[in-house]
Amino acid sequence: MDEKIDIVALLREHPEKARFPGALLTRKGPKDYVGSVLVMSAMLYFKNAHTPQVREAICECFEEYEAIAKNHLTWLWREEPPEGPAKQQYSKAKSMREMIVRMNENDAVSFGYISGENPEDAGDWQFEVQGIRGWQAQMGTWGLCSLQFSLPMLHAHDAPLVMPSLFVSFARRLRAVHGYAGPALNLSLVRSEENEPFEAYMSDQVKGLDVGHELWTNRKVTTGIKTVSWLTAINYEMVEKIGGLSAIRSELPADWFALYDYGSGLVIQAGPKANPALVKIDPMPAIYVLPNMLLKDVRAPDIGSLHNGSIDGEPRIVGWAAKQWLNRFDIEDDELMAYKAKLFNEPKLTNETTLLDRL
């Protein structure tokens, strides 16, 4: 990540430093399980998970991810499965394709594959999809479907094109409405609520960190993006709303920003590798500030709360705090030129960190 504080070297020597005990910063914690793991994570929002075409695309996405992650996955969690247990060992579970083909349109597409040693542990390999049911889609008030996947920090660093390649591929298959990818914490799938306080604390130290489970945001991001990150996907309606491809190229110089077409929109890559935006180093990198300002008009106007409410006064990202997180890379218009100048001191893209099919 940032060379001034060599996170990569630290994780190579002490990989356990990416894992944190459960329920930190709560009255009951810490607990003896892995509550969260620092990862490189991607989130894509899409529609129509109840249809055969989109369910096929979901299976294709998982099979592409599984080809890389297969030897690491350990558990599968499902919410209200129409058949079979909610928790299964990955090695004993049927393939996603076998399970999904037996579901009807009103069954919830809910699959959470993880690499935790125990089923309640967070893992650094994770693939989770949440799709609304057919009757919910017909109502039009249940928001978007979502697909999240992650790579270990060291894997993403050592193979810098894997995350962009998967992200663009999945966005194309799903015809994504929008999405993003960058640093995040994977929280325990089944104990996320008690690990939110630590995520809230970390978000104050690492401004580039994504926060909040998709179930908190799926209904809030139907009309706009949640955030910008290292990779940001926007559909072509959003592209036109901010002035078209020419406006993007004018505001985001090609030496630092790469553009990829995914069929129904564009992916913007900001820099060669994800910048964590560490508060102690630089919480406002130009590589995030500039696309954030460009995309303000297509940002969700209100994200609501990103966490459950506080129980004992522990930190949570709700209400005002959630609004502040949404606006964390905002600047005044008269500061824009200073950040354009600041960009010249930030790392440029290279052939080794850019996909071949950039626009």
Side-chain angles (χ1 to χ4, degrees):
M1 305 287 278
D2 196 301
E3 293 180 357
K4 297 177 183 178
I5 178 168
D6 200 338
I7 295 177
V8 170
L10 176 65
L11 293 181
R12 281 198 205 286
E13 188 172 354
H14 301 286
E16 73 280 0
K17 296 289 187 182
R19 294 169 170 76
F20 305 94
L24 285 177
L25 305 185
T26 71
R27 178 175 292 183
K28 298 179 180 179
K31 293 183 179 179
D32 188 21
Y33 72 95
V34 180
S36 57
V37 182
L38 184 63
V39 297
M40 195 64 62
S41 178
M43 175 68 72
L44 288 163
Y45 296 98
F46 62 100
K47 297 179 180 179
N48 300 324
H50 64 289
T51 66
Q53 297 86 350
V54 176
R55 288 183 175 183
E56 170 63 22
I58 292 168
C59 290
E60 291 173 357
C61 290
F62 179 64
E63 288 164 358
E64 190 173 346
Y65 179 80
E66 190 179 32
I68 301 171
K70 185 179 181 69
N71 292 334
H72 306 281
L73 299 176
T74 51
W75 297 95
L76 165 63
W77 284 96
R78 301 180 68 190
E79 184 178 355
E80 299 182 12
E83 60 181 7
K87 178 187 69 177
Q88 303 178 54
Q89 289 184 355
Y90 167 74
S91 61
K92 297 180 180 180
K94 295 178 181 179
S95 71
M96 177 188 283
R97 188 177 294 277
E98 287 179 282
M99 290 182 280
I100 213 167
V101 75
R102 296 172 61 86
M103 296 165 54
N104 66 50
E105 70 168 19
N106 289 319
D107 291 326
V109 176
S110 176
F111 295 87
Y113 293 88
I114 61 171
S115 62
E117 180 178 350
N118 300 302
E120 67 273 13
D121 288 338
D124 43 16
W125 297 88
Q126 180 171 304
F127 184 102
E128 183 183 10
V129 59
Q130 296 289 343
I132 60 178
R133 306 169 194 266
W135 67 266
Q136 294 171 329
Q138 292 175 6
M139 289 182 65
T141 58
W142 287 79
L144 298 173
C145 310
S146 60
L147 185 151
Q148 180 269 341
F149 67 95
S150 67
L151 303 173
M153 275 289 181
L154 290 180
H155 188 97
H157 178 271
D158 294 342
L161 294 181
V162 172
M163 176 60 83
S165 178
L166 291 175
F167 188 76
V168 174
S169 174
F170 293 3
R172 182 177 295 116
R173 293 182 191 277
L174 297 169
R175 298 185 59 83
V177 179
H178 55 82
Y180 55 89
L185 286 173
N186 277 350
L187 305 185
S188 166
L189 279 188
V190 290
R191 298 183 181 179
S192 60
E193 190 274 337
E194 65 184 20
N195 290 290
E196 290 173 350
F198 183 67
E199 183 179 59
Y201 166 78
M202 286 292 289
S203 72
D204 282 338
Q205 316 303 314
V206 186
K207 291 297 183 181
L209 195 76
D210 180 39
V211 297
H213 194 274
E214 65 271 14
L215 294 180
W216 285 102
T217 58
N218 284 11
R219 295 197 190 191
K220 294 289 187 176
V221 295
T222 56
T223 59
I225 65 174
K226 176 184 175 184
T227 186
V228 300
S229 194
W230 175 40
L231 305 173
T232 306
I234 55 173
N235 63 56
Y236 276 121
E237 288 185 11
M238 295 177 176
V239 171
E240 291 306 311
K241 187 172 181 178
I242 62 173
L245 187 59
S246 60
I248 296 175
R249 285 180 162 152
S250 174
E251 294 299 315
L252 305 179
D255 282 347
W256 290 269
F257 297 92
L259 304 177
Y260 308 107
D261 171 50
Y262 67 86
S264 53
L266 293 178
V267 170
I268 302 170
Q269 178 182 341
K273 293 183 179 180
N275 187 329
L278 298 173
V279 169
K280 291 184 178 179
I281 302 297
D282 181 9
M284 297 286 286
I287 204 77
Y288 291 162
V289 169
L290 296 180
N292 173 75
M293 295 302 289
L294 176 64
L295 300 178
K296 274 186 74 173
D297 286 344
V298 295
R299 189 167 67 195
D302 176 26
I303 205 67
S305 291
L306 293 167
H307 286 161
N308 290 277
S310 177
I311 299 173
D312 298 308
E314 74 279 1
R316 304 270 183 170
I317 304 176
V318 298
W320 179 87
K323 186 71 173 179
Q324 293 301 111
W325 184 87
L326 195 71
N327 301 337
R328 68 198 186 285
F329 294 128
D330 286 2
I331 57 171
E332 298 296 331
D333 289 340
D334 60 7
E335 298 179 274
L336 199 56
M337 288 306 298
Y339 277 89
K340 290 183 177 181
K342 181 181 179 181
L343 183 65
F344 283 87
N345 296 318
E346 297 184 9
K348 294 183 179 181
L349 293 168
T350 64
N351 291 335
E352 294 72 28
T353 57
T354 310
L355 298 177
L356 293 176
D357 58 348
R358 66 180 294 185
L359 295 180

